[in-house]
Amino acid sequence: MNVTNRTFSADLSGLFNPRSVAVIGASSTPGKWGFEYARQLLEGAPSRAVYLVNQRGGTVHATRTYTSVQLLPAAPELVVICVPAAQVRSAVDDALAAGARYIVCVTAGFKETGEEGHRLENEIRERVRAAGARLVGPNCVGLFDAAAKLACTAFWDLPPGDIGIVSQSGGVIVELGTRLPHEKLGISRAVSVGNQADLTVAEFIESFAVDPNTRVITAYIEEYQDGRRLFETIEYARSRGKEVILLAPRAGEAVGRSVASHTGSMISNEDVLASICAELDVVRVRGIGDLLLALRGIDAPTRAGGRRVAVVADGGGAATLATDAAIAEGLEVPAFSAELVRRLKEIAPNSSVGNPVDLVGALDLGVFRPIIQAIASSGEGDAILMNGAFNNVAGASIEGECAVAANIRNICSQSGIALSVASTLTGEPAMTALARDRVPVFDFPVEAARCLELGRKRLPKRKLIANRTTRLFVGEVDYLASRTALAGAGVIFSKAVYARDADEAARAAHSIGYPVVLKALGSLHKSDSGAVVLNIRDEVTLRSKLESLSNELRPTGFSVEEMVVEKDAIELLIGGVRDPAFGPTVVVAAGGTRTEIWRDRVVALAPVDEDNALRMLNSLRIAPLFGGFRGSSRIDLDVVAKAVTAVSRFIADHDNVSEAEVNPLIVGPTRCLAVDARIVTAL
């Protein structure tokens, strides 16, 4: 269970299983939306009342229509609106007056069309909410519930099953409805959310989380209205034992954000989305093909509990390709222990068995069975990836070949090890038998490996931490004020003294002790503008440099600072950005003046605790430097983690802070000091 303060209570059972439904805009013209909605809803009529509303009266699908919602014999629990956009507002008013609890607005022509459409959409939403009702859409294509026999859709013909689909695209639902039967899978619930004027993707995930007929929730998302809430609801669904797959194309690259610091230039929506999925171990795919692979992996008899894969193939090329495919997916192909190698050598004395296992020329599936048994019982793998032809060259009967396949499947299932197969002869009876038993069987090892990774059991690396009561950041946000504010949050800074002129600068340097750093204030990126002078060792040089900076830059003042010199020092950046979709985030990166070039960074939702700050630090590509590399000294990562948590809490705690940054944070074996800071507030 997550540790946020939110309460999860999206009870939408009346929407997916209404006692009565009315269609405003029912039509007798085939091909029109009102015709299709009426047809599908009437097919589920034995379990609910269906009322058809048409201003002209008459019949639709041999069913009486009413000229007004007000004339219905009873209040409809759900109303479907499929009339032109100009008539939607009055249709909504009529539905609410009739007592509707839920409205599905199919009609397009709202916020997607511009400012006036957006205004009208907001007005309709407020009317619905004021009446205590809920709205799906507008600009959607309806919803489906297999158990309730509700097909409130147009042009959908969906197979029943246990997969829930929440989608910003009706077309994605249609495509999955076409493809899932080929995977022996089906749909429990589906909803096209449209513009999400009222009900959102997150709320539907909440409702699917408590649906007993839904085992897997898939969500297709193109935009993120409240990204943090989305992931809170995903956590909630997973805490209730639901699998969640996020079908999310690449997010936009920080469109419209003004860049005021290194941190802002480094973070995009895609960075945040990818990092959140990684830290919460959420399955994220970018296409229907990978979504189907993930669903097959989740539906397999056994799923990998880790990343260790044993590769078993019928030749050197097959072994190499399967090994490469596994590694490319982030899986591991570790060498077997000496004991397991010895056992495998006894079974296949002329084969290479160190992992991968190359049973060269062994096409008969029966040859593989004892190898699979030995690996599965060893505890040295989480999954087995088989790659080969696996045809019946030994002359065994079809029944015997299928029995061997079933035995291999049972060996893996009983050992708790996942099995994925790539075969050049997927039509062979043994392969068909494995596929029938839900073992993933593919034509190529790339697919088999990806299926293993996407179907792997996942445990979040962290839980989302609730924001504390936020407040506004007040006062100046210049350089020295930024240092003071972040120091108050817990970041340790080098010594610094403000100076208006050369005399004050000299006194400051004397109090700090030479060598010092002189910074001319007022520039956004001080190093880029030549506003920073390092390693000043005496007063004469200090006064000379100050005069030069005054003439060249016309600064608002100066900061005289301790010159931080650390043996084997590493420069880091710690920053926070209030992302428009995901809220407060924290980034850890290789720092200094070249931070944009290195682009070595890790992003997380803020705030983070020290354990997750350490995880972020150890995820950087430069992480090997922290432990001492080729004779350099180790650094105290726990101290660095405290700085990360301090910045993350600062950005999370202040609603009007859009960016906060420490760069560089100089980290050495004896000290961890911030030497520069920036805070940007929203207008």
Side-chain angles (χ1 to χ4, degrees), residues 193-206:
V193 299
N195 291 1
Q196 302 182 79
D198 179 33
L199 283 166
T200 64
V201 168
E203 288 176 283
F204 281 114
I205 291 176
E206 286 182 33

Side-chain angles (χ1 to χ4, degrees), residues 477-665:
V477 289
D478 59 19
Y479 169 65
L480 292 173
S482 297
R483 283 178 59 117
T484 300
L486 289 168
V491 179
I492 301 174
F493 281 85
S494 58
K495 298 174 186 176
V497 178
Y498 174 72
R500 288 171 293 186
D501 53 33
D503 290 338
E504 288 187 2
R507 287 194 293 272
H510 179 74
S511 66
I512 293 171
Y514 288 100
V516 295
V517 175
L518 180 65
K519 295 180 180 179
L521 304 180
S523 300
L524 184 60
H525 294 299
K526 292 180 287 296
S527 296
D528 294 347
S529 61
V532 179
V533 182
L534 302 174
N535 202 28
I536 298 175
R537 310 192 72 84
D538 54 61
E539 183 175 334
V540 173
T541 305
L542 175 68
R543 289 180 178 274
S544 172
K545 295 296 184 182
L546 187 145
E547 181 178 3
S548 296
L549 292 176
S550 297
N551 294 333
E552 294 171 9
L553 302 176
R554 304 295 180 186
T556 58
F558 298 90
S559 179
V560 181
E561 302 179 10
E562 169 188 4
M563 178 70 193
V564 179
V565 179
E566 276 288 301
K567 179 178 179 293
D568 298 330
I570 299 168
E571 291 188 347
L572 297 176
L573 176 150
I574 304 172
V577 170
R578 190 167 296 276
D579 186 272
F582 297 98
T585 65
V586 61
V587 59
V588 177
T593 58
R594 298 188 177 117
T595 188
E596 292 99 338
I597 297 175
W598 305 140
R599 296 191 71 81
D600 180 13
R601 65 194 175 211
V602 180
V603 187
L605 289 179
V608 296
D609 59 21
E610 290 182 22
D611 286 343
N612 285 295
L614 285 170
R615 182 192 58 77
M616 294 176 71
L617 289 163
N618 284 316
S619 297
L620 292 170
R621 292 196 302 273
I622 64 169
L625 299 177
F626 301 154
F629 183 74
R630 293 190 174 181
S632 63
S633 303
R634 297 176 62 89
I635 67 171
D636 188 348
L637 268 191
D638 290 334
V639 176
V640 185
K642 292 181 188 298
V644 175
T645 60
V647 174
S648 78
R649 290 191 181 110
F650 182 85
I651 188 75
D653 285 353
H654 296 89
D655 276 345
N656 64 331
V657 172
S658 55
E659 297 178 19
E661 177 185 285
V662 170
N663 183 33
L665 180 79

